[in-house]
Amino acid sequence: MAILVLGGAGYIGSHAVDQLVHKGYQVVVIDNLQTGHRQSIHEKAKFYQGDIRDKKFMQEVLKKETIDDVIHFAASSLVGESVEKPLEYFNNNVQGTQIVLEVMEEFGIKNIVFSSTAATYGEPKEMPMVETMATNPENPYGESKLMMEKMMKWCDKAYGIKYVALRYFNVAGAKSDASIGEDHDPETHLIPIILQTALGQRAYLGIYGDDYDTPDGTCIRDYVYIEDLIAAHIAALDYLQKGNESNVFNLGSNTGYSVKEMLEAAREVTNKEIPAKVLPRRQGDPSKLVASSEKAKVILGWQPKVTDIKQIIETAWNWHVSHPKGYE
Ligand code: UFG
């Protein structure tokens, strides 16, 4: 079975390629290396450098390779950037997915597992968040992912392309042996920024607001361990390969931690002081996002195994200590 992994050189994609290879799948990776790293792709995966929006390129790859299923990670994913550059987000994410679906239809590929996001919901009206909640994205990133989900819904009806959209919450940590991990430029995510501060690469952690309606005033997020998150993709592949209907699942841990709690946990893990100061709120941050992943548990038989936040931070810390400059 050959799986085509789009965006397989990114943080999440590279962990997926790694797990698929270890499970015995043949893996073909497409990535434009705009944000991904060639070194992060498992050596047993076949790699094509190119852009999913380049239809000729996509057709060339699919003529050479026999692909059974697709996993789609190739998208821009920063909320703040999307507010400033909405058209780039619609171009890369929506147009890119359009080409992916066009070539899937052309080459008769029937299954796609797709990385969606909690940002499709917008500011939640109930907690924990369930898949039946209304979707009201509050930024172009979330909107683009919702559009991608909807495109898949209609392609299912018209061409029988089955999809599973996995709505991620906050993905965190690195592979347990620290051989692959998170390396963004620029880095905007909380855990890497905290750990870069612990390493002395930043002067302090800026806490974006401590006047939210939460117990300590800082935002609460649901952190899910990267290896657990990838296990859900493999369960979703299996689900589709068995002929099940298209579906949408939240992937979280059902637990929330505030920014201050994350900082405290990281101080304990690293044994470093980690200076921090409170800054104004960041635009577009909901106060609290915690998933119910009950549906994934019941239907996919998935639940996260690593739920201790210190253990998750420790995997990220091991990666940062062993790769202080990332993949460079
Ligand atoms: N934060 C800080 N200081 C920083 C960085 C982050 O206080 O330097 C705070 C943020 O304000 C937020 C929390 O830490 O409250 C987590 O922020 P991240 O940037 O790590 O993650 P987000 O929750 O903003 O975003 C994540 C994914 C997005 C996805 C979103 C879904 O990165 O792709 O969850 O809600 F859209």
Side-chain angles (χ1 to χ4, degrees):
M1 300 279 295
I3 310 292
L4 176 62
V5 180
L6 307 171
Y11 165 48
I12 301 175
S14 61
H15 284 81
V17 171
D18 183 79
Q19 252 187 56
L20 286 165
V21 167
H22 282 105
K23 290 220 175 288
Y25 287 96
Q26 277 182 42
V27 182
V28 177
V29 172
I30 287 180
D31 199 300
N32 64 9
L33 298 184
Q34 203 173 301
T35 53
H37 305 275
R38 176 71 184 92
Q39 309 91 300
S40 72
I41 305 170
H42 196 287
E43 58 184 23
K44 287 202 176 135
K46 203 159 174 187
F47 174 57
Y48 291 91
Q49 184 175 350
D51 198 298
I52 59 167
R53 290 165 293 184
D54 181 347
K55 191 166 178 180
K56 276 212 178 85
F57 161 74
M58 295 294 282
Q59 288 167 322
E60 286 307 315
V61 174
L62 290 175
K63 267 182 218 152
K64 277 189 225 151
E65 305 291 341
T66 307
I67 298 297
D68 296 284
D69 310 293
V70 175
I71 309 186
H72 181 11
F73 299 100
S76 307
S77 66
L78 299 176
V79 169
E81 185 182 60
S82 79
V83 176
E84 279 155 33
K85 304 173 183 167
L87 292 175
E88 277 186 26
Y89 273 66
F90 294 124
N91 183 297
N92 193 30
N93 296 1
V94 179
Q95 197 190 325
T97 298
Q98 163 135 5
I99 302 293
V100 170
L101 291 167
E102 281 174 10
V103 295
M104 283 181 71
E105 204 263 311
E106 183 181 338
F107 286 84
I109 303 169
K110 289 294 180 204
N111 297 327
I112 179 164
V113 175
F114 165 59
S115 54
S116 189
T117 170
T120 51
Y121 295 111
E123 184 74 48
K125 299 220 163 41
E126 46 183 298
M127 202 63 63
M129 296 157 71
V130 288
E131 293 83 350
T132 46
M133 272 176 36
T135 44
N136 285 307
E138 290 185 349
N139 50 65
Y141 166 62
E143 192 79 67
S144 71
K145 289 270 171 155
L146 188 59
M147 289 163 82
M148 294 152 86
E149 285 190 13
K150 288 183 176 171
M151 290 164 80
M152 290 180 196
K153 181 182 86 177
W154 295 111
C155 288
D156 178 359
K157 288 198 200 304
Y159 316 120
I161 294 176
K162 300 290 172 200
Y163 69 95
V164 166
L166 299 172
R167 293 182 178 158
Y168 305 165
F169 283 65
N170 289 62
V171 188
K175 192 181 173 189
S176 54
D177 68 0
S179 58
I180 46 177
E182 194 167 4
D183 178 6
H184 298 116
D185 184 21
E187 187 52 79
T188 64
H189 297 93
L190 181 66
I191 296 175
I193 287 181
I194 290 177
L195 298 179
Q196 288 170 352
T197 311
L199 279 176
Q201 296 173 343
R202 292 172 187 262
Y204 60 88
L205 163 73
I207 296 173
Y208 295 138
D210 68 349
D211 57 351
Y212 284 94
D213 184 19
T214 59
D216 68 16
T218 64
C219 288
I220 294 175
R221 293 288 180 274
D222 180 337
Y223 296 88
V224 57
Y225 181 48
I226 180 88
E227 296 275 38
D228 284 328
L229 181 101
I230 301 307
H233 292 68
I234 294 176
L237 263 185
D238 189 51
Y239 168 90
L240 287 174
Q241 286 162 355
K242 286 188 175 132
N244 288 299
E245 284 307 307
S246 295
N247 222 328
V248 178
F249 299 96
N250 285 343
L251 297 183
S253 68
N254 310 282
T255 324
Y257 292 94
S258 73
V259 174
K260 282 188 179 164
E261 286 172 331
M262 292 299 287
L263 175 61
E264 271 321 308
R267 282 174 172 153
E268 282 180 42
V269 168
T270 62
N271 219 1
K272 307 269 183 197
E273 192 200 338
I274 315 183
K277 69 177 172 192
V278 176
L279 299 179
R281 288 182 177 198
R282 185 172 72 176
Q283 209 195 340
D285 272 343
S287 58
K288 186 172 176 185
L289 296 173
V290 178
S292 162
S293 294
E294 193 55 27
K295 187 178 170 190
K297 186 177 169 185
V298 173
I299 297 179
L300 297 179
W302 176 83
Q303 60 183 14
K305 290 191 182 128
V306 182
T307 52
D308 174 5
I309 197 64
K310 282 192 241 163
Q311 207 182 327
I312 296 176
I313 293 172
E314 193 171 11
T315 63
W317 179 234
N318 291 338
W319 156 258
H320 281 271
V321 168
S322 57
H323 300 79
K325 292 186 174 167
Y327 286 103
E328 220 177 71

